[in-house]
Amino acid sequence: MNKFLLTLVFVFFTLPVWALELLMFNSKYCGYCSAFMEEVAVDYEYKDLPLVIIDAHNQPDWFREAYKENRIKGIFGTPTFIIWNGRKELGRIIGYSGKKWFYERLDELFQK
C-alpha cells in the first residue's frame, strides 16, 4: 500500500504543469500595437495571466512547431492576442480598440 501511495504522489508531482499566458503578437510597424503597449502593457492588470510579447515577424520555433501540429492558429494581423496554456491555443482576440475594449474582450474569453 505504501509503495502505491508513493508512486501516486511521485506521478502527481512529476506531471507537467501548464500555466496560462497571454501571447501578444506585435509588429513595430503597427499603430494599434503601439497604442496597446502605451495604454495596457505598461500596467497590465492580469497577474495570473502573464503577458508575453512576441515579434510577429520573428516568431519563435515553438510557435512554428505548434502551428504545424494544429495546436495554434496562424497570425494574419497584429495585434493578435492568444491565451496559451503551454500546449495549445485556448482563445484569441484580434485587433485593439482601446484599453476598455481590450479588457472587456479578455473578460468575455474567461467567461466562456
Side-chain angles (χ1 to χ4, degrees):
M1 181 68 167
N2 286 339
K3 284 185 180 182
F4 173 75
L5 288 175
L6 285 173
T7 302
L8 187 62
V9 167
F10 177 77
V11 169
F12 176 77
F13 284 107
T14 58
L15 289 174
V17 176
W18 305 103
L20 294 178
E21 297 176 316
L22 180 64
L23 309 178
M24 183 235 187
F25 288 83
N26 180 42
S27 171
K28 63 182 176 183
Y29 308 107
C30 169
Y32 296 104
C33 297
S34 297
F36 174 84
M37 298 299 283
E38 292 173 11
E39 298 170 6
V40 178
V42 293
D43 62 353
Y44 176 70
E45 296 176 8
Y46 284 81
K47 302 305 178 207
D48 293 337
L49 183 67
L51 177 63
V52 178
I53 299 169
I54 298 171
D55 182 352
H57 303 291
N58 188 21
Q59 297 167 349
D61 292 337
W62 66 262
F63 175 82
R64 289 193 289 274
E65 189 66 31
Y67 177 73
K68 287 179 191 174
E69 296 171 356
N70 294 317
R71 296 183 290 125
I72 199 167
K73 298 176 191 167
I75 305 302
F76 301 104
T78 56
T80 296
F81 304 91
I82 296 174
I83 297 178
W84 176 252
N85 73 355
R87 294 179 314 207
K88 66 180 181 175
E89 176 177 339
L90 301 178
R92 78 169 44 200
I93 300 168
I94 300 172
Y96 178 74
S97 291
K99 187 174 187 172
K100 181 180 180 206
W101 177 91
F102 171 76
Y103 281 114
E104 287 172 353
R105 300 295 86 69
L106 198 53
D107 289 342
E108 287 172 6
L109 282 177
F110 277 110
Q111 289 175 6
K112 289 182 181 178

